[in-house]
Amino acid sequence: MKFIKYIVLLFLFQGSLNSFAQTIPTPYVWGGSYGFIDSETGKVLINPIYEKVYPFSENRALVYRMGKGYFIDQTGTIKIILKYDSVYSFTEGLAAVKFVDTWGYIDKLGTVKIPTKFEEAYPFSEGVAVIKKDGKYGYIDKTGKIVIAPQFEFALEFSDGIAVIRKDGRYGFINTTGKIIIPASYDQAANFSNGAAVVSKDKKYGIIDKTGKIILPIDQDWVSVFNGGLVRVHKDATWGFANTSGVMLIPATFDWVSDFSNGYAKVKKNNLYGYIDKMGSVVVPIQYQWLEDRNISGTIMAVKAGYWGCINTQNDVVTSFTYKVLRPYSEGFAVVTKADKYGYLNNKGELSIPFQYEYAYDVVNGMAEVVLNEKTRFIDKAGICIKYCD
């Protein structure tokens, strides 16, 4: 069973963080190794010494070094040395762990709180967790007691007091007692968010409320999961946004739309890009060949007439459209060319590595391959040669 919610996509971060989140170290990569930085200032908080890291959850981050797994705190101090074959991040004070062929749970000190006795086990949500026993899925509480008997072919975590389950090949919803409150009649179903859930039937999508009432007709070509109280809706080659009441708050008039982030969504129309706000008002004119995501400083890298420039959300030009596009951004840097020489822009639109190379490639795992004086070298994000420098 795949819980997409728990598949951690590293480095997919929101463009703006609230004051609390700014203190949480954020994963980054440097020279092929992973560490953590302050995403607001860029200051390194935990040195890049790990082969793999996952984001912090409840003051613990799962990291791997030299093939061994650990949980560290926000200072980088090892709190738990893992002896398990697989592990999830902490939620509600517990982490699911696998030893040989069975799963259980440990606390933040590494103490086993629920013995490894389940075929599968998943993170806690709303006081309970999905487990698999005897080939069926059910739910346990934090003592390990089964509170909803394993009886389903599939189950998701609780959200809004309701959980998705699968029975007889179809998806429906149960309450916290395990009672089916919305019949298993859908091909697909997502968790409830603020009283609404996306469902699918006969390859079409729509939205229902907690009573099972259809509030957005199940005749859309595709509907995303909720993000900030809105879903992206695709129908007849056009895109718009619906709210948790099923109302098309922003009519489907665009060729493509992104999710909202920090109050703005990227939109495409007639092969040009712009930004709208949550009222559907255009805040950055739909006139650019490409727009990067808005960064923390509030600036947006843009392409116009084949040249990179930098604008803000008021459409003021921050950096003039000067640099010829070679390739889009990778790890915060874009390869640009001028007068047959290559260099790199950072995501503020600044030329951070000068035009000096005969050729340059994307930044990958914190370094980039370049050609200087007809010789291949590797540089870091500061432009310093780190390999084949002689």
Side-chain angles (χ1 to χ4, degrees), residues 220-279:
Q220 320 300 319
D221 294 327
W222 185 77
V223 178
S224 72
V225 295
F226 278 96
N227 181 339
L230 295 174
V231 290
R232 292 181 288 149
V233 177
H234 180 216
K235 186 177 182 180
D236 298 331
T238 59
W239 294 74
F241 292 88
N243 62 17
T244 53
S245 297
V247 176
M248 288 297 296
L249 193 65
I250 300 173
T253 58
F254 301 103
D255 300 334
W256 172 85
V257 296
S258 74
D259 281 325
F260 276 91
S261 176
N262 198 36
Y264 299 97
K266 191 186 307 181
V267 297
K268 179 182 179 183
K269 200 167 188 178
N270 299 324
N271 286 323
L272 294 174
Y273 294 84
Y275 273 89
I276 61 172
D277 63 21
K278 286 194 172 182
M279 298 304 294

Side-chain angles (χ1 to χ4, degrees), residues 92-154:
E92 299 188 4
L94 296 173
V97 295
K98 181 183 180 183
F99 185 69
V100 188
D101 293 323
T102 57
W103 287 79
Y105 293 84
I106 60 173
D107 66 14
K108 291 184 179 180
L109 297 177
T111 304
V112 175
K113 303 302 288 187
I114 301 174
T116 52
K117 59 183 178 180
F118 303 108
E119 295 159 26
E120 295 176 17
Y122 295 90
F124 275 86
S125 174
E126 300 188 2
V128 296
V130 176
I131 54 87
K132 184 179 183 182
K133 189 174 183 181
D134 299 327
K136 296 291 185 179
Y137 294 91
Y139 297 80
I140 60 171
D141 65 16
K142 290 185 180 180
T143 70
K145 177 185 176 183
I146 292 177
V147 292
I148 298 176
Q151 59 189 289
F152 305 111
E153 299 161 1
F154 175 88

Side-chain angles (χ1 to χ4, degrees), residues 15-16 40 262 264 275 284 292-301 310-316 318 347-348:
S16 176
E40 181 69 22
N262 198 36
Y264 299 97
Y275 273 89
V284 172
E292 290 285 320
D293 292 336
R294 180 179 183 271
N295 63 34
I296 291 172
S297 68
T299 56
I300 304 164
M301 290 302 302
C310 190
I311 61 175
N312 60 24
T313 48
Q314 288 73 50
N315 202 40
D316 300 321
V318 177
N347 57 15
K348 293 182 180 179

Side-chain angles (χ1 to χ4, degrees), residues 344-366:
Y344 293 83
L345 291 185
N346 64 23
N347 57 15
K348 293 182 180 179
E350 301 164 340
L351 185 65
S352 60
I353 301 177
F355 295 106
Q356 58 184 315
Y357 304 109
E358 288 107 63
Y359 202 78
Y361 296 87
D362 291 340
V363 175
V364 179
N365 291 332

Side-chain angles (χ1 to χ4, degrees), residues 21 28 56-57 80 85 105 152 173 180 213 254 264 300 352:
Y28 85 113
F56 273 92
S57 176
I80 303 172
D85 300 310
Y105 293 84
F152 305 111
F173 298 83
I180 293 179
K213 177 184 176 183
F254 301 103
Y264 299 97
I300 304 164
S352 60

